[in-house]
Amino acid sequence: MDTVNRQITAYSKELRLPVFRRDYKELATEAARQGLDYEAYLVKLMEREYELRIENRKKAQIRNARFPSKMYLSDLERDQLPPGAREKLPLLERLDFIPAAQNVILSGNPGTGKTHIAIGLGLKACMQGYKVLFTTVHRLLTQLRESHSGRTLKQVEAQFEKYDLVICDEFGYVSFDKQGSELLFNHLSLRTGRKSTIITTNLGFDRWEEIFGDPVLTAALVDRVTHKAYLVDMSGDSYRLKETEKIMNEK
C-alpha cells in the first residue's frame, strides 16, 4: 500500500494534480463507506480537482486585473447611490454589456461611487471568467507614451485588445498634450465595437475638450465611446462623505 501511495503522490505531482495528491485517501475512505465503485470515486476526485482549478483561475484573473482594492458590489449601500446608478446598476451587474462589446460611462462629481461600481463590475467579471484590466488614465497614458518611444506601441495595443473589459479610472483629472490626446484617442478607438471599456469621469462630455484640447478629436472620441454605451449619471452627494458621517454618528 505504501508503494501505491508513493506512486500516486509522484504521478499527481508530475501531472500537477494537487487535489489527487491531497485528497485521494480521504475520498477513497468516503467512497468505500458509501459503497461507490471505482469509476464513481474517480469522478468525485476529478470534480474536486476541476473545482480547485476554476477557483485558482478566478483568483489569478483578479490578481492580474491589478485592482487597487477589492470593492465588491455587495458592499455598496445602494440606497445612498445617485438615482442614475440605482436605476442602471441592476442591469449592468448582469454583465451583458461585456459580450455585447458595449462601453459604460460613469460620470459625476467626486465621491459618488463611480470607482467602487467600476471595480465591483470588474471583480464580478473576473469571477465569471472574463479577462479584465484596471488602470487609471494617467497610468495608461504613461504606458502608451513609453511604448511609443520604445517603438513597442503595436504590441501594447494588441495586448490591450485581448482584455474583455478595461476599466479606465479618473478620466478628466489630468489634461493631455497633442501627442497624449492622439495616443489615448487611438487606443480607445481600437476597442470601440470590439471590446468593452468602463470609463469613470468627473467631467461631463461638454467639458472633455478641456482635457483633450482639440474640439474635432474630442467630438470624434465622444461619438465613439458613447455609441450604444450605458451612460450612468453619477451626479449627487458624496457617497464617501455619507459613509464617513455614518461612521462618526455610530461612534
Side-chain angles (χ1 to χ4, degrees):
M1 186 64 180
D2 289 341
T3 301
V4 172
N5 289 339
R6 284 196 297 271
Q7 288 177 329
I8 291 175
T9 300
Y11 292 152
S12 60
K13 185 180 293 185
E14 181 68 24
L15 296 173
R16 297 181 181 178
L17 301 172
V19 170
F20 273 63
R21 186 169 65 252
R22 184 191 68 196
D23 296 349
Y24 76 93
K25 285 184 180 180
E26 173 195 337
L27 287 179
T29 301
E30 182 180 322
R33 185 170 61 250
Q34 296 177 357
L36 299 179
D37 58 23
Y38 186 65
E39 287 78 8
Y41 160 67
L42 275 180
V43 168
K44 279 186 170 291
L45 199 53
M46 291 173 67
E47 285 176 345
R48 191 174 290 190
E49 185 75 52
Y50 176 74
E51 289 169 359
L52 178 65
R53 291 195 177 194
I54 293 296
E55 187 63 29
N56 287 341
R57 190 178 305 161
K58 291 176 181 178
K59 291 178 180 178
Q61 294 276 55
I62 292 173
R63 184 171 59 252
N64 294 335
R66 304 175 191 171
F67 296 114
S69 59
K70 293 180 180 178
M71 305 167 74
Y72 295 94
L73 295 175
S74 58
D75 297 329
L76 283 167
E77 292 189 31
R78 303 195 179 204
D79 60 332
Q80 299 298 316
L81 291 172
R86 291 200 303 269
E87 176 188 348
K88 294 185 179 178
L89 188 54
L91 181 62
L92 292 175
E93 62 187 345
R94 288 161 46 184
L95 303 183
D96 293 339
F97 67 92
I98 298 179
Q102 293 174 277
N103 294 334
V104 177
I105 315 295
L106 300 163
S107 175
N109 48 297
T112 53
K114 300 185 296 296
T115 299
H116 191 146
I117 290 175
I119 292 177
L121 292 171
L123 284 166
K124 187 168 185 179
C126 287
M127 297 296 287
Q128 293 192 13
Y130 290 109
K131 190 174 182 181
V132 180
L133 176 70
F134 178 95
T135 183
T136 62
V137 172
H138 176 71
R139 188 196 310 157
L140 173 59
L141 189 54
T142 298
Q143 184 176 3
L144 292 175
R145 288 184 190 277
E146 290 175 351
S147 63
H148 181 266
S149 299
R151 298 183 179 180
T152 58
L153 185 58
K154 290 296 182 183
Q155 294 93 310
V156 170
E157 289 177 341
Q159 178 62 39
F160 271 89
E161 284 187 78
K162 293 179 181 178
Y163 290 104
D164 300 301
L165 174 64
V166 170
I167 300 170
C168 291
D169 195 32
E170 299 180 350
F171 193 94
Y173 284 84
V174 292
S175 58
F176 319 123
D177 58 15
K178 186 175 187 298
Q179 182 197 51
S181 298
E182 291 174 352
L183 285 171
L184 194 60
F185 171 81
N186 291 334
H187 173 71
L188 294 177
S189 295
L190 283 173
R191 295 182 57 82
T192 301
R194 302 175 62 184
K195 296 293 181 68
S196 293
T197 302
I198 295 178
I199 294 175
T200 73
T201 178
N202 62 327
L203 298 179
F205 297 123
D206 59 332
R207 295 184 59 193
W208 279 25
E209 186 181 335
E210 295 176 17
I211 54 176
F212 280 96
D214 183 329
V216 176
L217 186 147
T218 302
L221 180 62
V222 170
D223 180 67
R224 294 188 184 190
V225 300
T226 60
H227 182 60
K228 297 182 179 179
Y230 289 94
L231 308 180
V232 185
D233 183 3
M234 297 290 293
S235 301
D237 296 331
S238 172
Y239 180 82
R240 286 196 295 266
L241 181 59
K242 290 178 182 178
E243 285 189 321
T244 301
E245 290 176 345
K246 180 181 178 181
I247 293 172
M248 296 302 294
N249 290 333
E250 288 175 351
K251 290 182 178 180

